Amino acid sequence: MLAQEAVEAVMTRADGLYVDATFGRGGHSRRLLARLAATARLLVIDRDAGAIAAAQQLAATDARVTVAHARFSELTTLLRERAWWGAVDGILLDLGVSSPQLDEGERGFSFQVDGPLDMRMDQGQTLDAAGFLATVDAEELELVLRQYGEERHARRIARAIVAARAIAPLRRTLQLAEIVKAAHPAWERHHHPATRTFQALRLRVNEELREVEQVLPQAIATLASGGRLAVISFHSLEDRLVKQALQRATRGVEEDLPRGLPVTPQRTPACMREIIRQQAASAAEIADNPRARSARLRVAEKL
Ligand SMILES: C[S@@+](CC[C@H](N)C(=O)[O-])C[C@H]1O[C@@H](n2cnc3c(N)ncnc32)[C@H](O)[C@@H]1O
């Protein structure tokens, strides 16, 4: 299982300082705690109130655990507050939505269950999917569907959404799924026509790619020598960001100078080494959980 592989790869010392930056319902944290000594510490982070309630229950029974209700892009601040900065032995990032977020219709992430068009991971955030769809113009919506959903029919769908909201406000997930289905010219095998639209809206509402872009350099910087970062991503847009950040860290970066200047570009040296380049879920895991089909695990160690 990718979860087990991530936990095994990230753990280098039993008495270390660890961060699970995407607690969810704590599957990874529990696996890690089972392997850690009584003197180890685990900081768990999530932006979802339901995840935090579950984390607090765990912390009440396990003194090694502390909980932060925050975005993981605030990692530096969270670690400095605890005097952990620069001393972390392992960081786990399991990106994307959790099963409870997807399965509970009221959260609005699913195009298969009726619910309000919410899609906020952090229920305290002001912008939700309905709010975004009420005001966005057709050009920006098209761009969001194209960039975050890699939706080939972005223009048709964006126009259909804007036309539909002029007749009645968009409030429900199944209402939106029907509009997208009607605008979509073709069924793609394995995919409901609204799959890409819902992914795009979710990424936009939660600024998910920006969060990933911001947390990776912080995670890399805060690891102690020998400390490890394990990231599981669930689609190619996230995985590309992880791959690029780890490539920069494992190969070093050459200063970007205009061509033809008579100076040698400075090179920032590598600060990590690759442990797992790109691991997919096993066939058995995919059979058990089809959502794991596009999951990828990457692990690197601080030099
Ligand atoms: C795939 S789930 C993690 C599942 C977890 N590993 C488990 O075993 O239960 C991702 C979790 O990360 C949280 N999350 C996603 N982006 C976040 C961010 N930028 N800051 C904090 N939490 C985030 C989500 O709310 C969700 O609970």
Side-chain angles (χ1 to χ4, degrees):
M1 257 186 105
L2 276 191
Q4 190 61 26
E5 288 173 69
V7 167
E8 279 171 17
V10 93
M11 210 203 93
T12 50
R13 35 185 299 192
D15 61 347
L17 297 181
Y18 291 88
V19 179
D20 179 353
T22 49
F23 181 80
R25 286 300 177 273
H28 289 189
S29 284
R30 284 191 186 80
R31 281 173 198 271
L32 187 58
L33 288 164
R35 302 168 65 92
L36 293 178
T39 47
R41 293 289 174 265
L42 173 66
L43 169 65
V44 306
I45 304 170
D46 208 294
R47 74 212 282 203
D48 182 306
I52 289 305
Q56 276 158 350
Q57 279 184 1
L58 178 63
T61 59
D62 192 323
R64 296 171 295 176
V65 179
T66 50
V67 182
H69 187 189
R71 291 179 167 224
F72 55 52
S73 58
E74 299 167 73
L75 186 66
T76 301
T77 311
L78 296 170
L79 294 176
R80 286 201 196 284
E81 284 168 0
R82 290 163 176 81
W84 281 28
W85 176 257
V88 178
D89 296 294
I91 301 178
L92 283 165
L93 275 167
D94 182 15
L95 301 173
V97 280
S98 64
S99 299
Q101 285 168 340
L102 264 183
D103 296 341
E104 287 164 19
E106 283 306 300
R107 301 301 302 271
F109 285 100
S110 172
F111 50 81
Q112 285 165 327
V113 192
D114 194 35
L117 269 174
D118 188 330
M119 299 197 194
R120 292 168 303 168
M121 286 181 173
D122 172 2
Q123 299 92 331
Q125 178 182 304
T126 313
L127 183 72
D128 62 7
F132 175 71
L133 287 173
T135 53
V136 65
D137 63 45
E139 287 74 29
E140 189 191 336
L141 182 55
E142 179 185 339
L143 199 70
V144 166
L145 297 180
R146 206 178 293 288
Q147 284 187 344
Y148 293 159
E150 300 181 290
E151 173 56 72
R152 281 181 295 145
H153 309 296
R155 178 164 301 170
R156 293 172 76 132
I157 295 171
R159 287 182 177 166
I161 289 174
V162 169
R165 89 177 170 205
I167 299 166
L170 304 181
R171 295 219 172 92
R172 309 292 297 179
T173 50
L174 292 189
Q175 179 192 11
L176 177 64
E178 281 305 309
I179 294 165
V180 177
K181 189 170 153 188
H184 216 276
W187 278 85
E188 285 176 332
R189 274 198 321 140
H190 309 305
H191 284 297
H192 185 285
T195 307
R196 291 170 182 278
T197 296
F198 272 65
Q199 173 184 304
L201 291 174
R202 196 199 96 199
L203 290 183
R204 171 63 184 80
V205 166
N206 296 296
E207 296 177 325
E208 286 178 52
L209 297 181
R210 199 171 78 185
E211 282 289 305
V212 174
E213 240 169 349
Q214 289 185 356
V215 72
L216 292 171
Q218 298 180 51
I220 291 168
T222 194
L223 285 171
S225 176
R228 290 185 175 184
L229 169 64
V231 189
I232 299 177
S233 55
F234 269 85
H235 53 75
S236 55
L237 295 171
E238 280 168 354
D239 186 55
R240 195 176 309 149
L241 294 177
V242 180
K243 176 177 151 188
Q244 287 167 349
L246 292 184
Q247 269 178 355
R248 284 194 293 273
T250 53
R251 294 180 188 169
V253 184
E254 194 159 277
E255 190 184 15
D256 198 12
L257 291 175
R259 277 147 70 100
L261 282 188
V263 282
T264 314
Q266 298 281 318
R267 203 174 172 80
T268 312
C271 65
M272 297 194 93
R273 74 183 179 99
E274 210 164 61
I275 302 293
I276 298 178
R277 172 168 292 177
Q278 194 207 49
Q279 166 101 34
S282 66
E285 187 172 356
I286 295 170
D288 196 38
N289 170 21
R291 285 178 197 156
R293 200 181 328 123
S294 46
R296 297 288 179 273
L297 166 67
R298 295 178 187 270
V299 183
E301 180 180 283
K302 191 82 175 274
L303 296 176

